[in-house]
Amino acid sequence: MDSETIQDVFSGLGPVRTRKMFGGQGVYRHDLMFALEAYGELYLKVDKASVEAFRAAGSRPFVYEKEGRRTRMSYWLMPDAALDDPDEAVRWGKLALEAAVRSAQPSAGTRPRFR
């Protein structure tokens, strides 16, 4: 999936950008990565608050294998209906953005990171 197609899918969220990574692309709104394109599929950021919605939609997590170990990431496959329906793309994209915002916030008891 090319960058232009990804931008079209998420056009209802406002401008998004992509950056090549892991043999795929990270998808960003402002400075938050909320989606991942890998192997021609779009995966959206999930967390405890949103994962059940993805599970109920029949989604599955992004898993990759490295050095014989399988690793599950906090990105789940975007439901097929959202690829063809701009309103659905916005709905699922917003869930992913909200998860990205929550995961970017420091947890209680952790010190903020400074650059």
Side-chain angles (χ1 to χ4, degrees):
M1 185 175 294
D2 64 24
S3 181
E4 188 174 306
T5 300
I6 293 168
Q7 291 172 5
D8 285 345
V9 168
F10 294 117
S11 64
L13 294 175
V16 300
R17 64 183 173 81
T18 61
R19 190 174 95 198
K20 292 195 180 296
M21 58 187 301
F22 306 125
Q25 302 174 74
V27 184
Y28 295 80
R29 173 86 169 110
H30 301 293
D31 289 332
L32 289 174
M33 184 173 154
F34 72 96
L36 169 69
E37 182 275 331
Y39 310 108
E41 297 182 306
L42 276 174
Y43 295 86
L44 301 176
K45 179 76 172 164
V46 301
D47 63 2
K48 290 181 203 178
S50 63
V51 71
E52 288 306 320
F54 284 83
R55 188 173 282 123
S59 183
R60 60 178 161 72
F62 176 69
V63 178
Y64 70 93
E65 190 169 325
K66 184 177 181 181
E67 299 175 4
R69 286 186 38 203
R70 292 176 55 87
T71 301
R72 177 187 284 196
M73 292 183 63
S74 61
Y75 290 84
W76 283 53
L77 188 63
M78 184 169 181
D80 286 338
L83 293 172
D84 300 323
D85 181 337
D87 293 333
E88 282 295 296
V90 166
R91 184 172 82 86
W92 289 99
K94 283 182 178 178
L95 283 175
L97 279 168
E98 291 165 0
V101 166
R102 286 188 296 267
S103 71
Q105 296 173 345
S107 301
T110 61
R111 294 181 8 215
R113 291 181 280 175
F114 296 97
R115 296 181 196 187

